[in-house]
Amino acid sequence: EAGVAQSPRYKIIEKRQSVAFWCNPISGHATLYWYQQILGQGPKLLIQFQNNGVVDDSQLPKDRFSAERLKGVDSTLKIQPAKLEDSAVYLCASSPGQGNTIYFGEGSWLTVV
Amino acid sequence: GESVGLHLPTLSVQEGDNSIINCAYSNSASDYFIWYKQESGKGPQFIIDIRSNMDKRQGQRVTVLLNKTVKHLSLQIAATQPGDSAVYFCAENMKPGGSYIPTFGRGTSLIVHP
């Protein structure tokens, strides 16, 4: 069974530029998560989708971050404009449904200079 | 703030010893807990989970214990191997508004010396 796919794996951008990350969850998984992991910290949930609807986005900085899952399968996370403090690993994860085991992708590493 | 925390940020053990990683949680309504292992440069990998109707669950070389009275989780790794060196996170599934919100602690770095 294929795991959670993410791209790109690495990205370096200048502050105030924009970046987009893509995620394809495990086939059949209804719930999709985007987490931000800053070096030395645990993952912090940014947004959770159930199919194509948003379950929780309370920790998403909506002035610069946006995410969508239009067809209820793959998802994109966008940052515009980026700040230095956005340097982190952006982890996508999926699960069959809420309250089930979450499976992570390898992450997209963002460096903002 | 975080509701899931770890007592020790770093744990060093000798190969072959047993390791115990602890985790405290603050939300008594959480009913599902998961331990993850994260190796350098990789995403978190599922190790073992436990639901709140259980006190103990065993896997291959790993055991998770749940003490709901003091809101404490532990992960026990038997016969620790160098390949077990990684950061370990516990996560709880909080349900503040009817939907599950998986929340992670800071993590414990396990270092296994050969």
Side-chain angles (χ1 to χ4, degrees), chain B residues 9-111:
Chain B
T10 303
L11 177 64
S12 293
V13 301
Q14 290 295 128
E15 181 178 1
D17 288 350
N18 295 333
S19 301
I20 299 176
I21 301 172
N22 296 303
C23 176
Y25 65 95
S26 61
N27 191 326
S28 57
S30 295
D31 61 2
Y32 180 52
F33 306 88
I34 313 168
W35 280 100
Y36 287 90
K37 172 186 180 183
Q38 188 173 28
E39 296 175 284
S40 181
K42 297 186 177 181
Q45 178 186 8
F46 171 86
I47 302 173
I48 192 167
D49 59 0
I50 189 167
R51 296 204 179 266
S52 59
N53 60 352
M54 302 174 69
D55 297 322
K56 179 180 179 179
R57 190 162 188 220
Q58 288 184 292
Q60 187 176 15
R61 285 202 304 119
V62 293
T63 300
V64 56
L65 299 177
L66 174 62
N67 185 330
K68 295 180 286 294
T69 302
V70 295
K71 290 183 282 189
H72 183 268
L73 273 171
S74 68
L75 176 70
Q76 300 178 2
I77 305 173
T80 314
Q81 302 168 0
D84 295 326
S85 294
V87 177
Y88 289 80
F89 294 97
C90 68
E92 66 176 306
N93 251 338
M94 302 172 67
K95 204 176 181 183
S99 299
Y100 282 103
I101 307 297
T103 304
F104 285 75
R106 185 183 171 194
T108 292
S109 176
L110 176 64
I111 300 170

Side-chain angles (χ1 to χ4, degrees), chain A residues 36-113:
Chain A
Q36 179 194 58
Q37 186 175 25
I38 293 172
L39 188 65
Q41 298 181 18
K44 182 183 86 170
L45 181 67
L46 293 176
I47 189 167
Q48 179 183 176
F49 292 96
Q50 180 72 16
N51 296 311
N52 60 351
V54 176
V55 172
D56 183 85
D57 63 356
S58 57
Q59 298 193 86
L60 186 74
K62 298 180 186 64
D63 58 333
R64 298 184 300 104
F65 286 64
S66 65
E68 60 183 17
R69 193 185 185 199
L70 294 176
K71 296 183 179 179
V73 181
D74 56 353
S75 175
T76 56
L77 175 71
K78 296 180 182 177
I79 307 174
Q80 182 179 19
K83 292 185 175 181
L84 297 176
E85 58 260 36
D86 298 332
S87 295
V89 180
Y90 291 86
L91 294 162
C92 181
S94 70
S95 67
Q98 293 185 54
N100 295 115
T101 303
I102 302 169
Y103 298 92
F104 284 86
E106 298 288 17
S108 292
W109 295 66
L110 174 66
T111 301
V112 183
V113 297

